[in-house]
Amino acid sequence: MTFALHPSERASLRRMRGPARLRAWRQAAAIALPIVAVISVIVLGALMLVDRDAFTTSGRADILALPASHANDLDTAFLASPGDGATGTATLPPLPAEMRGLSGAATGIVAARPFEMRGGTALDRARASECLTAAIYYEAASESDAGQRAVAQVVLNRVRHPAFPATVCGVVYQGAERVSGCQFSFACDGAMARTPSRAGWARAARMAAAALAGYVFAPVGLATHYHTYAVTPVWNRSLVMTDAIGAHFFHRWKGVWGTAAAFHQPYAGGEPLPGPPVRSIAPVIALNHAVAVAPSSASAAAAITVAPALQPRLQESGAPVATAPPAENSLPDSQILDRWRDSGKPLR
């Protein structure tokens, strides 16, 4: 870094002798060094911030491949999808007899068959579309088109696998009746409390409609699980990774359960209501001491019989007041004052 001196200052420096000149340079350095240090700290902090942002989006390279029409929605998409972006796993059912002789040494990526909603009603299609849109949005709103299609493919792969429910909404919200049992993280981690952006939701709905209409995203193959680079589920090493797209790693089961023959479960129809099911609330007893409980009718009657005698003047306090029956064809006493009794008669 160089410092420009005024001509008069340069002239005075030339007139100075050696020690005086050195002393003047030391004074200038004492003033300049703190300024240089502050500027260096600011620049270094800015560089570290840029590096951190680059690391945060490193695994999300295809975020940059978002269509230009969605470039303005990038920030809102990040805010709208705070979920961890991970699935859970389910217990595999017993291997059917017709699959016991099959080879499980599958290699390469095998594309799934196009999804079909045979027997599904219009209501089933509407509910399935809403549930799949929610999964795509809350799990991958900030992903590229490929990332969103991959998430949709995992959901539909699960619908056809015997280890999972045979409906789209059943798969998406499986386990949500328990606090920590969700198969898709967004259904339990509070992500759905945020109102989705209109453009982001519309984009996810288009991806869901294409997948339900039979579009197959072949790169993930028969994947039934995924997770982001930021988490490491316990099932991570027990499965086979099929692809890494954006922020997600996709996996399929090992052996026969990860082959095309395992995906034979037909679509059941009868889609449940979109959204997490209502969680059953168990009664909570948090009392450290006994609390008086209202007696039952039988115990109350027994208590009355053994109650101590009341004072004579209060014994009849609860009895009904006896009134004489009205005479036959008699009218009740009038409540009108005497001076108003003839007020309703016609004038003569």
Side-chain angles (χ1 to χ4, degrees):
M1 181 178 291
T2 59
F3 298 94
L5 299 179
H6 194 270
S8 61
E9 294 176 335
R10 289 198 296 269
S12 61
L13 284 175
R14 285 194 297 269
R15 290 193 297 270
M16 287 182 182
R17 296 182 180 180
R21 184 178 301 175
L22 181 61
R23 185 167 55 253
W25 278 110
R26 286 177 179 176
Q27 292 176 353
I31 297 174
L33 284 177
I35 299 175
V36 173
V38 172
I39 295 175
S40 300
V41 170
I42 294 174
V43 173
L44 181 61
L47 291 175
M48 291 178 63
L49 182 61
V50 171
D51 290 340
R52 186 189 68 177
D53 291 342
F55 174 76
T56 303
T57 57
S58 63
R60 296 188 174 196
D62 44 343
I63 289 177
L64 302 178
L66 280 172
S69 59
H70 303 298
N72 295 330
D73 300 330
L74 188 59
D75 294 337
T76 57
F78 271 116
L79 295 176
S81 54
D84 292 334
T87 59
T89 189
T91 303
L92 288 169
L95 194 66
E98 62 271 15
M99 294 177 57
R100 290 174 186 169
L102 299 178
S103 173
T107 58
I109 302 299
V110 178
R113 299 190 314 273
F115 185 75
E116 297 179 357
M117 296 184 66
R118 292 180 180 178
T121 64
L123 180 60
D124 290 335
R125 295 179 183 277
R127 289 180 175 180
S129 176
E130 183 172 348
C131 291
L132 186 56
T133 299
I136 295 171
Y137 180 83
Y138 287 108
E139 292 285 287
S142 55
E143 295 288 319
S144 65
D145 289 353
Q148 293 197 353
R149 291 189 179 111
V151 169
Q153 191 63 57
V154 167
V155 174
L156 299 186
N157 285 349
R158 286 192 170 203
V159 175
R160 287 183 295 202
H161 200 284
F164 303 100
T167 60
V168 177
C169 292
V171 164
V172 171
Y173 295 106
Q174 183 183 10
E177 66 276 2
R178 302 186 302 274
V179 176
S180 60
C182 292
Q183 289 290 312
F184 289 82
S185 58
F186 81 94
C188 281
D189 64 5
M192 297 183 69
R194 296 193 177 190
T195 302
S197 67
R198 183 175 300 178
W201 186 268
R203 178 173 172 243
R206 289 193 297 271
M207 300 297 173
L212 292 173
Y215 177 83
V216 176
F217 187 71
V220 296
L222 300 173
T224 49
H225 300 70
Y226 64 78
H227 66 88
T228 64
Y229 64 88
V231 297
T232 305
V234 294
W235 45 259
N236 185 20
R237 295 186 179 181
S238 62
L239 304 180
V240 179
M241 190 173 74
T242 60
D243 203 352
I245 300 175
H248 291 102
F249 299 101
F250 294 86
H251 304 263
R252 65 167 173 83
W253 262 304
K254 292 181 179 180
V256 178
W257 284 119
T259 62
F263 294 80
H264 61 269
Q265 178 172 252
Y267 176 73
E271 290 281 353
L273 287 172
V278 179
R279 295 170 183 165
S280 58
I281 302 176
V284 178
I285 300 176
L287 301 177
N288 296 324
H289 58 278
V291 176
V293 181
S296 62
S297 58
S299 60
I304 292 174
T305 57
V306 298
L310 297 175
Q311 297 182 14
R313 61 185 179 85
L314 299 176
Q315 288 182 355
E316 303 296 333
S317 60
V321 178
T323 56
E328 188 176 359
N329 297 328
S330 63
L331 297 175
D333 294 337
S334 175
Q335 302 297 324
I336 300 176
L337 298 176
D338 291 340
R339 67 175 181 272
W340 301 114
R341 286 182 182 272
D342 297 330
S343 59
K345 293 182 179 180
L347 298 176
R348 294 181 180 177

